[in-house]
Amino acid sequence: MRRILVAGNWKMHGTQAMVKSLLEGLLAGSQPGGNVDLAVFPPFPYLAQTQALLQQSPIAWGAQNLNPVAQGAHTGEVSASMLLDFGCRYVLAGHSERRTLYGESDADVADRFEAALAAGLEPILCVGETLEERENDETEAVVDRQLTAVLDRCGVSGFQKAVVAYEPVWAIGTGMTASPEQAQAVHAFIRNKFDSLDDIIAGQLRILYGGSVNGSNAADLFAREDIDGGLVGGASLKVEDFLAIRNAVA
Ligand code: PEP
């Protein structure tokens, strides 16, 4: 049985005071156990504080990006080994904001995914179509291209210790959540693609939905066969909103 993962992507938000109150609130309010894992993705400067607050807890943490190079003259960048040094379990790869605002290509995303795996981090590969692509009936072609770039590099075995997040770009930060039917259809497409390569890996692969998930829509989304949790942006910045999503898991 796949465990549900509810992952909070804080993006470029936070202060030390906010990190303290958010994490203390999550620690106080999340019931341990059940079939749910929680994870948070703070900005780099708050990883040390996150590690200090969460290290004895069941809540995991990760980073929002990494540079695929091990070390060297890359001013402003952060490597996989640095993330491990701060106890990260996960790292996002190919979030749509990285792809659109910072020009990360499919090949760049594959580089990051590969470097994360090699270091022992669990990458969360983000894929998803723009509104224009959906309206042109290109959703499956786009998602297929984004997955294939990583599969060609790392093979299906690269997904034994990885997560996929389907995040339609038009639903991120817009309040326009994909309907459970729309999301399930793409999740099934993704799982079928993996199933054609390795049915065991496909059966174990966690596929998260991301795009305006909140306490009111999470239960319907997470009830779908191929939706194994959520990657949550805005609603992960408030204790009660994030816990409402966590508590929506049946
Ligand atoms: C995200 O940042 O991955 C995301 C899904 O954001 P939001 O929940 O705010 O749409």
Side-chain angles (χ1 to χ4, degrees):
M1 187 184 182
R2 296 186 294 271
R3 291 179 62 77
I4 296 288
L5 174 60
V6 177
N9 172 17
W10 297 357
K11 312 195 188 198
M12 198 170 69
H13 295 290
T15 60
Q16 291 194 55
M18 176 266 205
V19 171
K20 183 173 185 315
S21 83
L22 182 46
L23 293 181
E24 286 179 350
L26 293 183
L27 288 169
S30 55
Q31 303 111 357
N35 188 37
V36 191
D37 296 325
L38 278 186
V40 294
F41 292 75
F44 294 133
Y46 302 115
L47 285 173
Q49 191 186 3
T50 298
Q51 180 182 34
L53 285 163
L54 297 185
Q55 61 191 346
Q56 306 300 341
S57 84
I59 304 176
W61 60 96
Q64 300 170 18
N65 195 20
L66 82 168
N67 188 291
V69 176
Q71 64 176 354
H74 291 273
T75 302
E77 295 295 300
V78 171
S79 70
S81 65
M82 293 171 183
L83 302 183
L84 285 172
D85 210 11
F86 288 95
C88 288
R89 171 171 172 179
Y90 299 105
V91 63
L92 304 183
H95 189 280
S96 76
E97 287 151 20
R98 299 298 319 171
R99 293 178 189 263
T100 56
L101 301 177
Y102 297 98
E104 286 182 17
S105 65
D106 290 337
D108 294 330
V109 175
D111 288 344
R112 284 158 170 70
F113 188 101
E114 188 178 30
L117 276 187
L121 290 159
E122 287 182 48
I124 299 184
L125 172 64
C126 303
V127 298
E129 82 288 0
T130 62
L131 186 58
E132 190 185 1
E133 288 162 342
R134 174 162 282 265
E135 287 172 349
N136 290 338
D137 238 350
E138 292 167 356
T139 298
E140 291 186 358
V142 169
V143 169
D144 189 67
R145 190 201 75 225
Q146 293 171 333
L147 292 174
T148 300
V150 178
L151 281 163
D152 283 352
R153 183 75 66 82
C154 300
V156 67
S157 62
F159 286 81
Q160 247 160 354
K161 281 223 165 118
V163 176
V164 173
Y166 168 57
E167 299 208 298
V169 179
W170 49 272
I172 297 178
T174 60
M176 278 171 49
T177 320
S179 69
E181 294 74 23
Q182 285 174 317
Q184 165 59 27
V186 181
H187 282 235
F189 170 77
I190 294 170
R191 199 173 309 282
N192 286 339
K193 180 172 174 68
F194 282 92
D195 194 54
S196 69
L197 300 167
D198 187 310
D199 59 340
I200 293 174
I201 290 174
Q204 292 170 346
L205 180 67
R206 293 197 281 191
I207 307 175
L208 313 184
Y209 167 77
S212 300
V213 177
N214 58 44
S216 312
N217 58 31
D220 272 355
L221 286 159
F222 299 169
R224 301 293 154 145
E225 189 181 345
D226 292 298
I227 302 183
D228 308 311
L231 181 54
V232 182
S236 70
L237 295 169
K238 286 204 180 130
V239 174
E240 57 277 21
D241 293 350
F242 196 51
L243 289 181
I245 295 170
R246 185 251 174 264
N247 293 333
V249 179

